[in-house]
Amino acid sequence: MDDRVAHGQWTPEEAAERIAASHAGAVLFPAMEAAASPPVAAIAQRMVDGVFDKAFLVAEIQRFTGVEVVIPQKPGAILAIIPQHGYWSSELCLPDRAFRAAGYEIDYVTPRGARPFAYGVSLDPTFRDQAWNAAQVSPGEAALGKLYVDRMTPDGQRINLPGHLDAWLPAKPRPQHGEAAREPYRRALLEGLLDAAKYAGVFIVGGAGAYMDLGGNTSIRPLLQLMIALERPVLAICYGVEVLIQAVDPETKVPLVWGRLVTGHSEQDDYTDGTTDVPSEGGYGPNYGSAPITLEQMIKLYTGPAGGFVSRDGSPYMAVADGPFITARTTPDGYPAAILALARCHGGGRLPARYVIDADGRGHEPAVTEIKRPRV
């Protein structure tokens, strides 16, 4: 019982009335911009048609950021971390194609080295999401995603045999393993991290499988810390952001994102029904109802009082850069996130430390009024 009720300050009726009014008053009903013709549809179709090339990409980077980039012919390699049990198709395909157009080699890993399963609805242009009742998948995104699901296409073959994340970077020993496990763990982790240092950046693919497969995965956290220490971009897309924000300094336990601006799957995007995973290719688990986490509130807590959550409700794109941290809100936003990463890597330091893309055009440095924090 609330102390105020126990002390006679509120009657049960008053408490119920105040709480009901507070919850009802806080509900937002934003409109979705460009719902009938989202800009990502044309981008995905260009990728399908084979006309998304380096020249177009460089022009896109300048259009969104104002930064002229110089990308070498062979800029290096990027690591894509994909949940096995349910990735959202465009959250893999869009950044993958953007980085490849820039000339990067892409290596793929899943937690156990198995081929990842896409959400079937992420390939379905008739699918309407539960939160907005809006079309979620353009025909171009559906066609692009199917190229990756098909094991025989060049795109599909790329993810047929992903690397084994947990074998490459060992999981943290558990209490049962005892002190004898400490030094072997250190040696194996050092070996894996030295190998991982070859990557110019990392992106974490979203989909509800991300919090199922990767949210508590301890192999990924030292890898993310390495990339941040080397000031190389770490992209996290949609529910992949939940994986990023849980990476902490192992000694201080302070989140790596403390003091940073971050976006991710917002409260406006959260499902209250229809949440599931993909336990087998082409299948679905049970309907778990609402999503098991509220990522927006997690971000506000993990980023601390000097950080915060950024999202313009209903915008056609939403990606945020804060130093090497680059985060994307939901399904189309791996594209502007990749744009920000390339501007960061190849723009000669001209991209501001904090930068937001929330429209189909030039982004901006975030204003204080855009940053959402708990009101205490």
Side-chain angles (χ1 to χ4, degrees):
M1 181 181 292
D2 190 301
D3 285 342
R4 290 167 293 182
V5 176
H7 294 145
Q9 295 174 348
W10 285 1
T11 66
E13 292 77 10
E14 288 172 333
E17 178 62 34
R18 292 190 186 198
I19 292 169
S22 175
H23 279 261
V27 175
L28 301 176
F29 299 103
M32 179 171 283
E33 300 173 19
S37 183
V40 72
I43 295 299
Q45 192 61 54
R46 287 187 73 98
M47 292 175 174
V48 172
D49 295 340
V51 291
F52 187 93
D53 58 13
K54 189 172 183 178
F56 178 81
L57 175 63
V58 167
E60 284 284 272
I61 295 169
Q62 185 165 19
R63 182 171 76 90
F64 278 104
T65 67
V67 173
E68 294 185 18
V69 295
V70 178
I71 305 176
Q73 185 175 0
K74 294 183 177 181
I78 298 283
L79 181 68
I81 303 172
I82 313 170
Q84 181 185 344
H85 297 102
Y87 72 89
W88 194 271
S89 176
S90 61
E91 296 175 20
L92 167 63
C93 306
L94 293 170
D96 180 68
R97 284 295 191 96
F99 285 126
R100 285 164 53 195
Y104 282 93
E105 295 293 327
I106 311 293
D107 289 341
Y108 309 89
V109 296
T110 59
R112 299 175 182 173
R115 195 181 201 276
F117 307 142
Y119 273 92
V121 293
S122 72
L123 309 169
D124 180 2
T126 68
F127 173 70
R128 302 181 75 84
D129 79 314
Q130 194 266 341
W132 295 83
N133 190 30
Q136 192 84 349
V137 183
S138 69
E141 289 170 280
L144 182 62
K146 289 174 183 176
L147 294 176
Y148 287 71
V149 170
D150 186 338
R151 294 171 180 261
M152 303 305 295
T153 66
D155 290 299
Q157 290 174 9
R158 298 175 69 85
I159 61 170
N160 277 347
L161 295 171
H164 190 308
L165 175 65
D166 293 353
W168 178 40
L169 296 167
K172 183 173 71 174
R174 308 313 302 139
Q176 63 171 306
H177 299 129
E179 183 62 33
R182 188 184 308 277
E183 180 58 20
Y185 169 67
R186 185 197 66 80
R187 290 197 304 266
L189 182 58
L190 174 61
E191 181 180 355
L193 291 175
L194 289 172
D195 183 47
K198 66 189 176 189
Y199 291 109
V202 169
F203 71 95
I204 307 168
V205 177
Y211 55 66
M212 302 292 286
D213 288 352
L214 296 170
N217 186 291
T218 60
S219 296
I220 196 173
R221 294 171 184 175
L223 170 64
L224 301 181
Q225 189 176 14
L226 175 70
M227 291 292 112
I228 298 305
L230 298 175
E231 297 187 341
R232 298 176 186 176
V234 173
L235 283 69
I237 304 162
C238 195
Y239 278 125
V241 176
E242 186 246 5
V243 182
L244 170 61
I245 65 173
Q246 291 188 89
V248 301
D249 182 294
E251 296 175 343
T252 66
K253 306 303 182 184
V254 174
L256 301 183
V257 296
W258 189 259
R260 301 290 186 164
L261 300 186
V262 172
T263 192
H265 204 271
S266 74
E267 282 196 357
Q268 306 308 320
D269 301 306
D270 284 347
Y271 283 22
T272 56
D273 191 26
T275 301
T276 188
D277 57 357
V278 185
S280 60
E281 189 167 13
Y284 288 108
N287 179 356
Y288 298 111
S290 60
I293 61 171
T294 302
L295 183 54
E296 177 177 334
Q297 300 309 326
M298 288 180 66
I299 290 169
K300 292 173 184 175
L301 296 174
Y302 279 78
T303 54
F309 178 77
V310 180
S311 178
R312 187 167 69 82
D313 293 331
S315 62
Y317 286 130
M318 191 71 229
V320 175
D322 189 339
F325 298 91
I326 299 174
T327 50
R329 183 178 61 201
T330 187
T331 59
D333 299 322
Y335 179 61
I339 294 287
L340 288 172
L342 292 166
R344 178 72 78 220
C345 290
H346 303 290
R350 291 184 292 275
L351 185 73
R354 287 179 163 181
Y355 198 80
V356 172
I357 294 174
D358 64 358
D360 185 28
R362 183 68 62 86
H364 61 278
E365 294 182 73
V368 172
T369 53
E370 295 178 79
I371 302 171
K372 301 176 183 180
R373 301 183 177 108
R375 297 203 304 267
V376 295

